[in-house]
Amino acid sequence: MSQQLQLRTTSPLATSDDWWKQAVVYQVYPRSFADSDADGYGDLRGVIDHLDHLETLGVDVVWLSPIYRSPQADNGYDISDYRDIDPLFGTLDDFDELLEQAHSRGIRVVMDLVVNHTSDEHAWFQESRSSLDNPKRDWYIWRPARPGTVAGEPGAEPNNWGSFFSGPAWDLDEATGEYYLHLFHRKQPDLNWENPEVRAAVHEMMRWWLDRGVDGFRMDVINLISKVPGLPDGEVHPGELFGDGFPFYAFGPRLHEFLQEMHREVFDGRHGFMTVGEAPGATIDQARLVTDPARRELDMVFQFEHVDLDHGELKYRPVPLERGALAASLTKWQEGLAEHGWNSLYLGNHDQPRPVSRFGDDRDHWRESATALATALHLLRGTPYVYQGEELGMTNAPLTRIDDYRDVEAVNYYAERTALGEDPTEVLAGMSVISRDNARTPVQWSDGPEAGFTAGTPWIEVNPNAASINAAAQVGVEGSVFEHYRALIALRHASEVIALGDFERLDAGDPAIFAYRRGLGAESVLVIVNLSSESLTPVWSGGDPVLLAGDLVLTNGAGSGDVAGLSPWEARVYATPAALRPLA
């Protein structure tokens, strides 16, 4: 066992119920992580084979994107059996081995919980759609055609809501003559959480996984499970084809009741678990309610404000990021959840483009911007998340043709917009910047064939820059992106100030300079990051904080050593001597 793991397991936070405040989470998107059987898809054996990589990095938790049995209409987020592993990824025995091997390394395992919807091939839905009077009919959201219309005709849908994946949010079941709601793919019908039998079945399934040894759940779009009664029409915004149902299905009237009931029924009496809820559209006030420990709902949420900053009129019509906008958004959430609640710290995941391409400069300052962004994020108050490949500085992929895409959201969007007469070249240009497929190209393990991901043909093409950006070229190499991430994770493990301290944003005279102080008692950590491709000189209000900051304990090596000026994407971390004492 490494020295870092010894520090973690002997710290008070490691065994307390809020151990996750000191932890760093690593997200594995299994189909793109590592392929052990040459079928072109990543699998659980591939994750097992690379646990040493995660141990070397120093992460505390692995969050697995869905591995349940699924028709894979939305890459596993359409679940047909919550208590089995999809053969694409392996078996329950493989999962149990992964769990055992991870735990032996001091790494917890968190499952993805997808319970706003199931697959239309789930046994529950098969029963539900079998007849109007089936006992499980009310387990999903069924409605007749709009009054005065004929089912199946355009405009007959029960309301005007659009799906996240293009088209209407309703699909007609010919056999029973009614529509079912699907906020996502038509093969992802929404569960009816108003039905207590549905909630009880979900709770039972969650207990089954916890009893098996998992350490918690990341809950997919959990803020959508409560819908406003009546399901009213939404406003049709400019450029959109359907009504905006978001005000009527996000943070609905019974959400807090449902989450509190889940906590009682699933987690009461258990210790050491972690819960994080994906909550698109969450405001600070809403996030504060959900994550306030006194309310016993969730430990933290994923909010979307900072990853929506570059969205234009439509998601796939991106706009340039305003100077300082990222730092301003992160600051807002640090301050907003300072007294109650807890932040999830992330820049990338399976649904977002690569951070170094989106928020950094992957052309002229690739290493510097990748490490600067990591520094700015990881030393904030909250729990940091590393998405697979992010620790290597993986970039967006060269997606230039519609055939390069695999994501159902992007493919459907392209079909919808080109059918409306939009220029395919312009549609693809926007998609290439924002598409989820950017995050789903295989992890770049080496400069060998298919980046060491598979001995077969990968399900989606490997990024050509794997020849230069890969794990083999970085692990153990001083100054690499990987080693910088490793140092940041070690800092969090070794410092009460970083794990638990307060946050204070400092005015450096330019919004592109993200400077902040973390403090706990008399000890402090000072972080200064130039989030731009320009050389900048801070102009401090209230005196130069560096003079009282302590020693320079970490830098990404982007600077020239000039104390006053900051080179492009330079990051510096200062700490008072006692601020970095190991937790004990």
Side-chain angles (χ1 to χ4, degrees):
M1 184 175 285
S2 72
Q3 182 62 32
Q4 282 189 10
L5 280 174
Q6 288 174 8
L7 287 176
R8 280 207 298 273
T9 55
T10 56
S11 71
L13 284 177
T15 54
S16 67
D17 282 346
D18 58 356
W19 57 267
W20 35 265
K21 290 184 176 179
Q22 187 197 350
V24 177
V25 183
Y26 187 98
Q27 182 190 357
V28 168
Y29 191 70
R31 69 168 48 217
S32 297
F33 189 70
D35 173 23
S36 70
D37 58 8
D39 67 353
Y41 294 87
D43 47 48
L44 292 179
R45 304 294 322 174
V47 180
I48 293 170
D49 291 343
H50 289 82
L51 284 174
D52 287 348
H53 174 84
L54 304 184
E55 183 179 10
T56 299
L57 184 59
V59 298
D60 307 88
V61 184
V62 168
W63 149 30
L64 293 171
S65 286
I67 53 175
Y68 312 94
R69 188 173 288 273
S70 166
Q72 304 294 324
D74 184 25
N75 287 7
Y77 283 85
D78 50 314
I79 297 168
S80 57
D81 188 342
Y82 286 109
R83 300 194 191 194
D84 198 7
I85 304 298
D86 195 275
L88 187 70
F89 301 122
T91 66
L92 276 169
D93 286 341
D94 292 330
F95 175 80
D96 289 341
E97 182 178 345
L98 170 58
L99 200 62
E100 180 181 358
Q101 294 247 14
H103 285 170
S104 73
R105 290 169 168 82
I107 299 173
R108 290 174 164 93
V109 177
V110 166
M111 297 285 281
D112 217 312
L113 184 76
V114 188
V115 290
N116 174 72
H117 47 265
T118 70
S119 166
D120 66 345
E121 297 183 30
H122 195 291
W124 297 346
F125 189 74
Q126 292 298 305
E127 286 191 53
S128 183
R129 77 186 316 173
S130 65
S131 69
L132 291 171
D133 58 359
N134 184 275
K136 283 190 169 59
R137 183 67 172 183
D138 194 42
W139 281 43
Y140 294 83
I141 300 174
W142 293 94
R143 295 292 186 275
R146 188 186 292 266
T149 66
V150 176
E153 292 184 352
E157 293 82 8
N159 67 27
N160 69 352
W161 295 356
S163 160
F164 283 100
F165 291 168
S166 301
W170 298 90
D171 206 64
L172 177 64
D173 178 62
E174 299 284 354
T176 59
E178 289 191 338
Y179 291 85
Y180 64 87
L181 179 69
H182 60 91
L183 294 180
F184 296 89
H185 194 281
R186 59 183 297 272
K187 288 181 68 63
Q188 292 172 291
D190 280 47
L191 285 163
N192 177 21
W193 274 70
E194 298 290 326
N195 187 328
E197 293 180 355
V198 169
R199 304 198 301 275
V202 169
H203 299 159
E204 183 183 8
M205 175 267 293
M206 294 173 69
R207 290 191 295 266
W208 187 84
W209 282 106
L210 291 172
D211 290 343
R212 201 172 193 97
V214 305
D215 302 290
F217 297 98
R218 175 267 184 185
M219 303 180 185
D220 187 64
V221 294
I222 197 65
N223 65 320
L224 308 187
I225 60 176
S226 173
K227 279 76 170 176
V228 170
L231 310 179
D233 281 343
E235 179 183 356
V236 181
H237 299 298
E240 296 283 8
L241 300 178
F242 298 94
D244 178 11
F246 199 80
F248 306 112
Y249 58 68
F251 285 94
R254 299 186 68 188
L255 175 66
H256 298 294
E257 174 191 344
F258 293 159
L259 292 178
Q260 289 165 8
E261 178 187 54
M262 177 189 290
H263 196 288
R264 285 195 310 273
E265 296 297 321
V266 177
F267 299 113
D268 274 4
R270 298 178 187 266
H271 301 281
F273 59 83
M274 183 189 97
T275 57
V276 53
E278 182 189 33
T283 65
I284 287 176
D285 287 342
Q286 289 167 334
R288 189 183 296 125
L289 287 175
V290 171
T291 64
D292 183 347
R295 295 173 57 84
R296 299 173 64 77
E297 296 184 22
L298 300 176
D299 294 327
M300 57 192 117
V301 297
F302 290 123
Q303 55 86 12
F304 280 50
E305 180 181 289
H306 63 300
V307 293
D308 288 343
L309 291 171
D310 56 358
H311 290 183
E313 184 182 30
L314 300 176
K315 172 182 174 178
Y316 289 112
R317 292 179 185 169
V319 297
L321 197 66
E322 293 185 13
R323 188 179 186 88
L326 177 61
S329 178
L330 295 175
T331 298
K332 173 182 172 182
W333 281 83
Q334 288 286 294
E335 295 172 348
L337 298 185
E339 299 299 325
H340 301 282
W342 193 251
N343 279 286
S344 294
L345 308 173
Y346 78 101
L347 293 178
N349 59 35
H350 65 292
D351 284 336
Q352 303 296 334
R354 290 289 180 177
V356 68
S357 298
R358 184 183 204 176
F359 299 116
D361 181 348
D362 63 3
R363 186 183 64 178
D364 297 324
H365 300 282
W366 163 73
R367 187 195 66 81
E368 293 83 358
S369 61
T371 51
L373 288 165
T375 305
L377 186 81
H378 274 247
L379 302 182
L380 293 171
R381 183 177 185 270
T383 298
Y385 289 73
V386 180
Y387 178 67
Q388 63 183 39
E390 193 176 315
E391 78 279 15
L392 307 175
M394 282 181 59
T395 69
N396 278 0
L399 305 171
T400 58
R401 306 167 297 126
I402 189 58
D403 290 344
D404 294 331
Y405 291 83
R406 300 292 182 272
D407 177 32
V408 62
E409 180 184 27
V411 171
N412 287 355
Y413 174 84
Y414 179 83
E416 177 182 271
R417 304 318 294 192
T418 55
L420 291 172
E422 294 186 20
D423 183 350
T425 302
E426 292 184 5
V427 175
L428 284 170
M431 287 169 53
S432 69
V433 176
I434 296 294
S435 172
R436 304 193 298 179
D437 281 328
N438 283 303
R440 300 177 181 186
T441 59
V443 172
Q444 295 161 205
W445 295 108
S446 73
D447 62 359
E450 307 301 352
F453 165 72
T454 180
T457 301
W459 71 277
I460 187 172
E461 288 187 18
V462 170
N463 193 321
N465 65 17
S468 58
I469 301 175
N470 61 73
Q474 293 192 35
V475 177
V477 176
E478 185 177 356
S480 68
V481 177
F482 179 91
E483 291 301 327
H484 192 82
Y485 267 84
R486 189 180 182 190
L488 286 168
I489 293 169
L491 273 178
R492 175 166 291 268
H493 291 155
S495 172
E496 286 185 295
V497 176
I498 294 170
L500 302 175
D502 296 332
F503 168 89
E504 178 191 6
R505 176 75 185 269
L506 304 177
D507 182 4
D510 191 307
I513 300 176
F514 191 19
Y516 60 87
R517 181 187 289 112
R518 301 293 311 285
L520 188 66
E523 306 306 326
S524 67
V525 174
L526 173 65
V527 181
I528 305 173
V529 185
N530 178 3
L531 295 178
S532 81
S533 296
E534 308 168 28
S535 294
L536 299 174
T537 299
V539 179
W540 303 104
S541 59
D544 187 346
V546 177
L547 298 177
L548 302 174
D551 297 329
L552 180 66
V553 296
L554 183 65
T555 176
N556 63 352
S560 62
D562 180 359
V563 174
L566 295 170
S567 295
W569 299 100
E570 183 175 358
R572 300 179 189 171
V573 182
Y574 300 86
T576 54
L580 297 185
R581 62 172 176 245
L583 297 173

